[in-house]
Amino acid sequence: MGTFDFSEPFQAISLPVGDWVAVAIKWVVVNFRYVFQNIKVPIDFVLSNVEFGLRSCPPLVFICVLALLAWQVADRKTAIFVALALVGIGAIGAWPEAMTTLAIVLTSVLFCCGVGIPMGILAAQNGRFDKILRPILDFLQTIPSFVYLVPIVMLFGIGNVSGVIVTIIYALSPIVRLTNLGIKQVRADLVEASNAFGASRLQTLLKVQLPLARPAIMTGVNQTIMLSLSMSVIASMISVTGLGQMVLRGIGRLDIALATTGGLGIVLIAMVVDRISQGLGVSARDRANQDWLATGPIGLLRRLVPTKGAVAHPNRDSLSRNK
């Protein structure tokens, strides 16, 4: 038996965590790969339809729709910025790749919201679940994204669907954490007042807690979108197409023009989505309690086309004067 060397303690201590994980992943691949292949089906369905819709939409129609949306949720300056940014993406020759990246990001964010918001609500209402969930979120948020590319490829294969799954894992944490935080920050007296008026737990959640937590939840959605876009270049290593693939090809060929085009496209897409999602997170109080439908293009249309009850009778003034 050899003596323990205090100057080199780790020669005697060995913990082969990497080997254990490799054996576990191989066992899962051999026995449960069909389960993971079935998980791909709904993601593939959503991604294919979103990408088909974005790529088949004429660019000018898409730019107009997004500019009007930005005007509605934010203001006219944001709408002009969004329109110019989208025109810029088309002008640099990155429009098809940008639509593919946007489809991947939108699909990822959709699944992140579908999974993350209910998890955040449950964590806010159940302390034990919160304690279990917190280290898992810490692990997902801090582990380098390159690490889980290998098991994802072994379980799901390569391509855009695998890129969506990698992005979901990477971008899920903010939406869960901020939904949890937003609901916990709702004033206790408002919840008590809702309960005192006989509201059920579900009614209190839907009509008091979630509306008041909306700015925090939308901040979480915004952070999820930004993380999804930042993942596009890393995900291109597993054959995910789009702007990230342009950057990767540019690096591989030392083609600075191609890499710059892809990188600039990602930046512009990120700014467009960021401005629109920030506008969606503005609360009614920040809008001076103004009705959402009374602003933007919808508000302008309502002012130009008055409702039936608001139309003045042509003889109303003369009749009132005769009285």
Side-chain angles (χ1 to χ4, degrees):
M1 183 177 177
T3 57
F4 184 79
D5 186 358
F6 285 95
S7 63
E8 297 289 342
F10 299 115
Q11 287 186 351
I13 302 171
S14 177
L15 200 62
V17 176
D19 295 337
W20 297 342
V21 173
V23 170
I25 293 293
K26 285 179 182 174
W27 182 80
V28 171
V29 170
V30 170
N31 294 285
F32 296 101
R33 195 167 192 270
Y34 67 95
V35 176
F36 294 94
Q37 293 300 312
N38 288 328
I39 293 174
K40 287 175 63 175
V41 174
I43 297 174
D44 190 20
F45 175 77
V46 175
L47 177 63
S48 301
N49 284 287
V50 172
E51 188 175 4
F52 174 77
L54 290 177
R55 296 196 68 153
S56 59
C57 181
L60 286 179
V61 174
F62 184 78
I63 292 170
C64 290
V65 169
L66 238 61
L68 289 173
L69 177 63
W71 182 13
Q72 185 64 46
V73 300
D75 51 32
R76 261 179 277 191
K77 290 181 181 177
T78 306
I80 294 169
F81 172 78
V82 166
L84 291 176
L86 291 173
V87 169
I89 291 171
I92 62 175
W95 186 267
E97 290 81 4
M99 292 301 103
T100 300
T101 298
L102 189 59
I104 292 170
V105 169
L106 291 178
T107 306
S108 305
V109 172
L110 185 66
F111 280 94
C112 281
C113 291
V115 175
I117 292 176
M119 287 175 71
I121 293 170
L122 192 58
Q125 297 187 339
N126 189 321
R128 185 175 297 175
F129 180 71
D130 188 25
K131 287 180 182 176
I132 296 170
L133 187 63
R134 195 173 300 169
I136 297 172
L137 294 178
D138 291 341
F139 178 79
L140 291 177
Q141 203 162 10
T142 54
I143 188 171
S145 50
F146 294 98
V147 174
Y148 49 80
L149 286 183
V150 177
I152 289 294
V153 170
M154 292 173 71
L155 294 169
F156 296 99
I158 59 174
N160 288 354
V161 177
S162 299
V164 171
I165 294 167
V166 168
T167 307
I168 291 170
I169 295 171
Y170 184 67
L172 182 65
S173 299
I175 185 70
V176 180
R177 288 185 191 279
L178 286 166
T179 302
N180 182 4
L181 181 68
I183 291 177
K184 282 183 177 175
Q185 285 182 337
V186 174
R187 285 168 43 194
D189 57 334
L190 295 175
V191 177
E192 289 174 6
S194 174
N195 294 332
F197 278 103
S200 65
R201 196 171 177 180
L202 182 62
Q203 287 174 323
T204 302
L205 174 68
L206 295 178
K207 297 185 177 180
V208 177
Q209 291 176 305
L210 282 179
L212 291 173
R214 189 169 66 93
I217 295 172
M218 288 310 301
T219 303
V221 174
N222 179 273
Q223 292 301 307
T224 298
I225 293 169
M226 293 299 109
L227 287 177
S228 301
L229 279 165
S230 68
M231 192 66 187
S232 59
V233 177
I234 297 172
S236 65
M237 294 179 179
I238 55 173
S239 299
V240 175
T241 55
L243 294 168
Q245 190 63 235
M246 291 180 75
V247 176
L248 189 68
R249 286 206 314 270
I251 294 170
R253 301 174 189 170
L254 294 179
D255 186 345
I256 191 165
L258 188 62
T260 304
T261 302
L264 189 59
I266 292 173
V267 171
L268 291 173
I269 281 283
M271 293 171 79
V272 166
V273 179
D274 176 65
R275 299 299 185 273
I276 293 175
S277 61
Q278 280 189 3
L280 288 170
V282 176
S283 65
R285 184 181 299 175
D286 294 334
R287 290 178 182 273
N289 292 322
Q290 193 174 20
D291 186 8
W292 188 73
L293 295 176
T295 62
I298 296 177
L300 178 64
L301 194 64
R302 291 176 70 182
R303 287 192 293 275
L304 292 175
V305 184
T307 57
K308 188 176 180 181
V311 176
H313 193 283
N315 297 323
R316 182 179 297 170
D317 294 339
S318 59
L319 288 172
S320 59
R321 281 196 297 273
N322 292 335
K323 288 180 180 178

